[in-house]
């Protein structure tokens, strides 16, 4: 009999286990993979972005569609507490551009090791390679869990923390078990979707356009997502990266969160990129006209070099379908408009996202109405 069973030794499960063990509770931490914290170890490109120094009001703007739900949690445990928690574990932190906090060593692995070392030196029992298949509920109260195996085992406890993760990066172990277990005991599930993920674009093939575009990042662009009617859905300014069949990067993953539901409902959505945010349409047109005049004897490709990095020139040619060898002096005003349209409103239809395999988080899951906002306990099942 344990005081507490925690399902999943990811970021949430490990922290919960440390806190409960420090309180003197007898804890059983169950992990289905052979190693704990697999996702944690690849976070932040292997560096683990622990938190951010933004004030609560601004921090919440980055916390999904129901940020108010997190108020009570953040009131109890916020940025300073995160830094202190890891400092106590021996993980020194540094603040970087944009208020982002990382371990000073620059290694997510160190964050993981600090947590697992404390647990392994404590009375917490950790069971790896063990998958929880069922929550055992009697008369509306949790009494234990059942695990998979040649002989299914039952572990008893009056309290269970479900920390089995979502569905993103399934190779790390989070494969939707948490949602399934919650559903089986009666919770309503909001359909899950990949979120913070790259977007696939129609009629875009980096390999065919020019392989140098694959992996190329463009800074200081405006990306706007619109409906078929042209109505704006959302917009972000910053950096995006072209992939073989789509786009990713900071602003794209932020936008993906806002359009995940619309995409899943089959809504036609368009990505519009403004590559020249510092210039108005009129200023850019004047500059384009002037370059075409000055470089009258050069070909169009050479003129485009004044406006775009090498990696994007073939994209411009591909999108506008103009002849790159055409002499600048022969470019018509209609063709100039097409170049202008590419630079200010390069448009692609979005045909999907890169899926759970590449999503940073999962959207949806247990209906928050059924969760106590102050304690994060289930309102349906006690314990
Ligand atoms: C590439 C990438 C980069 C990221 N970078 C950052 C970052 O820099 N900063 C940040 O804050 N967030 C980042 N995230 C998001 C962050 O990793 C997750 O929000 C976080 O890992 C969620 O923690 P969790 O414990 O809820 O779930 P997970 O970390 O997914 O852990 C769930 C655990 O439960 C186990 N499990 C599942 N089912 C069962 C079962 N039936 N029985 C037993 N065990 C089970 C799994 O094997 C897994 O170990 C990143 C995510 C990805 C994919």
């Amino acid at each position: 009999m344990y005081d507490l069973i925690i399902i999943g030794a990811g970021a949430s499960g490990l922290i919960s286990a440390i806190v409960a063990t420090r309180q003197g509770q007898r804890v059983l931490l169950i992990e289905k993979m052979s190693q704990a914290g697999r996702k944690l170890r690849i976070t932040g490109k292997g560096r683990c972005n622990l938190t951010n120094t933004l004030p609560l009001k601004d921090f919440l703007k980055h916390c999904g569609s129901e940020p108010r739900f997190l108020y009570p949690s953040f009131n109890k445990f916020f940025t300073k507490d995160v830094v202190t928690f890891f400092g106590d574990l021996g993980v020194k932190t540094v603040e970087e551009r944009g208020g982002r906090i990382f371990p000073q060593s620059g290694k997510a692995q160190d964050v993981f090791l600090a947590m697992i070392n404390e647990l392994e030196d404590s009375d917490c029992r950790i069971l790896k390679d063990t998958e929880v298949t069922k929550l055992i509920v009697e008369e509306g109260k949790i009494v234990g869990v059942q695990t998979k195996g040649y002989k299914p085992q039952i572990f008893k406890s009056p309290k269970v923390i479900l920390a089995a993760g979502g569905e993103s990066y399934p190779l790390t172990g989070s494969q939707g078990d948490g949602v399934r277990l919650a559903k089986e005991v009666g919770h309503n599930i909001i359909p899950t979707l990949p979120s913070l993920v790259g977007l696939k674009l129609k009629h875009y093939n980096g390999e065919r356009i020019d392989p140098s575009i694959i992996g190329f990042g463009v800074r200081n662009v405006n990306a706007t997502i619109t409906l078929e009617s042209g109505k704006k859905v959302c917009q972000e300014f910053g950096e995006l990266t072209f992939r073989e069949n789509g786009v990713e990067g900071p602003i794209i993953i932020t936008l993906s969160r806002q359009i995940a539901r619309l995409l899943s409902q089959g809504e036609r959505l368009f990505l519009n990129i403004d590559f020249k945010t510092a210039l108005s349409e009129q200023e850019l047109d004047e500059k384009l006209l002037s370059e075409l005049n000055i470089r009258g004897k050069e070909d169009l490709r050479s003129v485009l070099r004044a406006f775009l990095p090498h990696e994007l020139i073939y994209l411009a040619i591909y999108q506008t379908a103009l002849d790159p060898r055409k002499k600048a002096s022969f470019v018509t005003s209609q063709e100039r408009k097409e170049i202008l349209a590419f630079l200010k409103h390069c448009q692609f239809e979005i045909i999907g996202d890169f899926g759970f395999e590449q999503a940073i988080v999962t959207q949806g899951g247990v209906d928050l109405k059924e969760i106590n906002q102050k304690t994060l306990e289930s309102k349906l099942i006690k314990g």
Side-chain angles (χ1 to χ4, degrees), residues 260-358:
R261 288 272 159 228
L262 288 173
L263 261 185
S264 74
Q265 287 157 5
E267 189 78 56
R268 284 188 81 191
L269 294 170
F270 296 84
L271 171 68
N272 306 270
I273 308 170
D274 177 354
F275 290 110
K276 292 282 160 197
T277 50
L279 296 176
S280 71
E281 209 145 326
Q282 196 187 337
E283 287 165 338
L284 188 60
D285 194 27
E286 282 164 14
K287 194 167 174 219
L288 190 55
L289 189 58
S290 148
E291 288 292 332
L292 287 166
N293 285 334
I294 296 167
R295 298 166 188 264
K297 288 187 183 150
E298 295 175 32
D299 62 23
L300 183 57
R301 186 174 35 197
S302 160
V303 175
L304 286 173
R305 282 201 192 109
F307 296 89
L308 290 168
H310 157 80
E311 290 83 353
L312 292 184
I313 289 183
Y314 279 97
L315 178 66
I317 289 163
Y318 180 83
Q319 287 289 99
T320 55
L322 296 175
D323 179 359
R325 291 158 305 179
K326 189 166 193 172
K327 291 283 173 258
S329 54
F330 291 110
V331 170
T332 65
S333 62
Q334 177 56 33
E335 288 168 336
R336 197 181 80 235
K337 269 190 198 154
E338 284 168 32
I339 299 168
L340 188 63
F342 171 83
L343 294 170
K344 290 297 280 179
H345 315 278
C346 174
Q347 190 182 71
F348 298 95
E349 183 170 353
I350 299 165
I351 48 169
D353 56 47
F354 293 150
F356 280 118
E357 277 68 26
Q358 295 179 39

Side-chain angles (χ1 to χ4, degrees), residues 8 10-12 31-33 39 43-44 49 132 164-165 169 173-174 177 360:
S12 320
E31 168 56 49
K32 83 174 190 188
M33 305 297 276
K39 193 182 286 170
T43 54
N49 182 189
V132 172
Y169 271 66
S174 49
D177 298 17
I360 291 178

Side-chain angles (χ1 to χ4, degrees), residues 7-14 30-33 35-40 42-45 47-51 102 130-133 163-166 168-169 172-178 180-181 358-361:
I7 306 170
S12 320
L14 289 167
I30 307 180
E31 168 56 49
K32 83 174 190 188
M33 305 297 276
Q35 294 173 318
R38 288 186 68 166
K39 193 182 286 170
L40 172 62
I42 57 163
T43 54
K45 296 189 176 150
R47 298 177 60 226
C48 188
N49 182 189
L50 281 167
T51 184
F102 289 91
T130 307
E131 180 180 330
V132 172
T133 51
S168 75
Y169 271 66
T172 63
S174 49
Q175 295 154 354
D177 298 17
R180 183 179 51 74
L181 291 167
Q358 295 179 39
I360 291 178
V361 296

